Amino acid sequence: KRGFTAAVPFPLAQYGGRFTVTMIPGDGIGPELMGYVRNIFRYAGVPVDFEEIQITKDSTEDVFEKALVCIKRNGVALKGSIESKYGDVNFSSRNATLRTQLDLYANVLHCRSHPAVPCRYPDLDLVLIRENTEGEYSMMEHESVRGVVESLKVITRRCSDRIARYAFEYAKRHGRSKVTAIHKANIMKISDGLFLETCRNVAKEYPEIEFGDMIVDNTCMQLVSRPHQFDVMVMPNLYGTVVSNVACGLAGGPGLLSGQNYGEHFAVFEPGTRNTGTSVAGLNVANPVAMLNAACDMLNHLGLTQHATLISDAINKTINEDLVHTADIGGENTSLDVVQNIIKEVQQAMKDGEW
Ligand code: ATP
């Protein structure tokens, strides 16, 4: 299909059967979560070497450029969130800039509930596909006269077309039956109107997949009251961050779900809600699962599906059978308790020859 690529066509960095992946720990809980990933990968014998480049809110442009080059070289990155400097008008969000510089146009968040995690609705299984490079995140704002600020929201047919196509192709590949476009075209008639019209046009090419649309405010209400009506959802950038957080909240909070960012050439994996978790950093209380799930998505992307399954099965057993839960999902265990239990499950599965 025109304008759609499902996978990274560039060669991935691989030497002697081992992959090299860029690791950006970021601020807050990022560094400790990356330590857990490294530890579990070692026990699971994962053939991945990390090239670590730390970007924090205080890093220089040079370091940021170095990180971009590193991701371009390796093709794949695992990333924590970099704190944004509120109020500093000369400083653009490093997270958003990284996504636009690498043209990671599609953010995919698979929202599933866990049987053993308290959750308003069991059996949640939604996929949110968010345009990741434009909209309100164009970061073009100015004060035209004192006290009057203009902020440009940019919606283009090209980016709307490729994200709509990504959503329909995703639905087709994963046997999903419905795509819902989320918008505010009743108020933003031209910008969101273009997004909606483009989605409608792409939908005509996929008659086997049901298409619907919904206004974003109603979407938030429907998500918390009747989430099972949704299957795949596609939306512009800002609505994406809001609706993703509602979905993560429904499924148990910021500590569980992963987020995947794809472009034509590169892929970056990170926790779904993109929080820094600064207030819980260094306390051994952060839930490591979202970052570990991001690491499993990364392994699947690299084609290391056996290792991905080995670790994700261990994560699921830890949560749903062994009931080792951190405080954010109602438990009393520490981050290290969760990690040690996952390692125990990995070792058990390897001993049993389950993989
Ligand atoms: P920032 O702009 O720094 O990312 P934010 O408001 O987006 O801030 P945070 O404050 O980092 O988000 O996170 C929101 C809430 O979720 C906080 O209460 C934080 O402690 C919690 N949180 C985030 N990640 C985790 C995690 N992995 N485990 C437990 N709690 C978490």
Side-chain angles (χ1 to χ4, degrees):
K1 295 275 183 204
R2 178 171 49 88
F4 175 80
T5 34
V8 176
F10 274 32
L12 298 166
Q14 202 182 2
Y15 308 99
R18 295 183 68 84
F19 291 91
T20 304
V21 166
T22 305
M23 173 182 272
I24 300 174
D27 287 303
I29 53 176
E32 63 199 68
L33 299 183
M34 292 303 189
Y36 304 143
V37 171
R38 283 182 186 275
N39 208 359
I40 290 171
F41 273 22
R42 199 165 51 241
Y43 278 96
V46 175
V48 164
D49 298 310
F50 287 110
E51 199 174 340
E52 183 174 322
I53 299 192
Q54 175 59 310
I55 315 176
T56 69
K57 64 179 190 323
D58 301 317
S59 297
T60 60
E61 277 307 309
D62 282 356
V63 174
F64 185 66
E65 283 302 319
K66 196 173 150 206
L68 285 177
V69 170
C70 181
I71 299 174
K72 288 179 181 169
R73 188 170 57 239
N74 294 327
V76 180
L78 184 67
K79 175 183 168 298
S81 189
I82 305 155
E83 203 173 313
S84 299
K85 287 184 182 173
Y86 291 105
D88 184 344
V89 293
N90 298 314
F91 186 89
S92 302
S93 159
R94 286 273 159 79
N95 302 295
T97 307
L98 188 138
R99 294 194 291 269
T100 45
Q101 292 275 318
L102 298 172
D103 199 25
L104 298 167
Y105 69 88
N107 175 254
V108 180
L109 187 135
H110 189 177
C111 172
R112 272 171 298 189
S113 47
H114 287 275
V117 175
C119 168
R120 191 175 287 264
Y121 300 100
D123 308 324
L124 276 183
D125 186 5
L126 322 167
V127 178
L128 277 66
I129 295 184
R130 162 184 176 188
E131 204 293 320
N132 224 1
T133 57
E134 57 173 18
E136 292 82 352
Y137 283 64
S138 66
M139 295 185 282
M140 287 188 279
E141 295 184 314
H142 61 271
E143 194 170 18
S144 44
V145 290
R146 193 175 279 275
V148 180
V149 173
E150 292 172 298
S151 179
L152 293 185
K153 162 171 171 160
V154 178
I155 299 278
T156 62
R157 192 183 299 282
R158 174 178 160 267
C159 290
S160 302
D161 184 88
R162 66 180 179 174
I163 197 68
R165 238 166 250 290
Y166 191 98
F168 279 95
E169 283 293 328
Y170 183 100
K172 202 165 119 179
R173 267 188 292 139
H174 293 86
R176 291 186 171 259
S177 57
K178 184 177 169 187
V179 172
T180 308
I182 311 303
H183 61 90
K184 189 75 183 165
N186 55 334
I187 302 295
M188 272 155 275
K189 292 174 197 283
I190 302 181
S191 53
D192 282 18
L194 175 61
F195 179 81
L196 178 58
E197 179 204 307
T198 310
C199 289
R200 283 190 177 135
N201 285 338
V202 173
K204 288 180 195 146
E205 296 178 36
Y206 297 86
E208 71 282 12
I209 295 169
E210 186 187 338
F211 175 69
D213 70 274
M214 194 177 281
I215 291 173
V216 63
D217 34 7
N218 184 28
T219 302
C220 293
M221 185 169 62
Q222 296 290 331
L223 258 181
V224 296
S225 54
R226 289 198 312 118
H228 296 105
Q229 67 186 288
F230 298 108
D231 189 350
V232 175
M233 303 162 84
V234 60
M235 62 207 87
N237 212 342
L238 184 65
Y239 309 149
T241 189
V242 176
V243 176
S244 298
N245 274 257
V246 174
C248 287
L250 278 179
L256 294 174
L257 303 180
S258 57
Q260 307 159 42
N261 302 284
Y262 296 108
E264 301 249 339
H265 306 309
F266 314 113
V268 173
F269 301 87
E270 62 185 348
T273 50
R274 297 174 173 171
N275 296 125
T276 53
T278 307
S279 57
V280 290
L283 301 176
N284 193 18
V285 297
N287 193 338
V289 168
M291 185 64 88
L292 293 171
N293 278 332
C296 290
D297 292 342
M298 183 196 84
L299 294 179
N300 277 319
H301 178 76
L302 294 173
L304 295 169
T305 51
Q306 278 191 318
H307 293 89
T309 306
L310 173 70
I311 297 172
S312 63
D313 284 354
I315 295 171
N316 287 332
K317 279 190 180 155
T318 297
I319 297 175
N320 297 316
E321 294 174 24
D322 307 333
L323 307 181
V324 183
H325 293 178
T326 44
D328 56 301
I329 51 172
E332 291 181 350
N333 293 106
T334 64
S335 318
L336 279 173
D337 291 338
V338 176
V339 171
Q340 273 155 13
N341 201 83
I342 293 169
I343 291 171
K344 185 197 85 187
E345 290 292 358
V346 164
Q347 288 179 314
Q348 189 61 47
M350 290 172 92
K351 210 166 108 199
D352 296 346
E354 276 176 20
W355 70 297

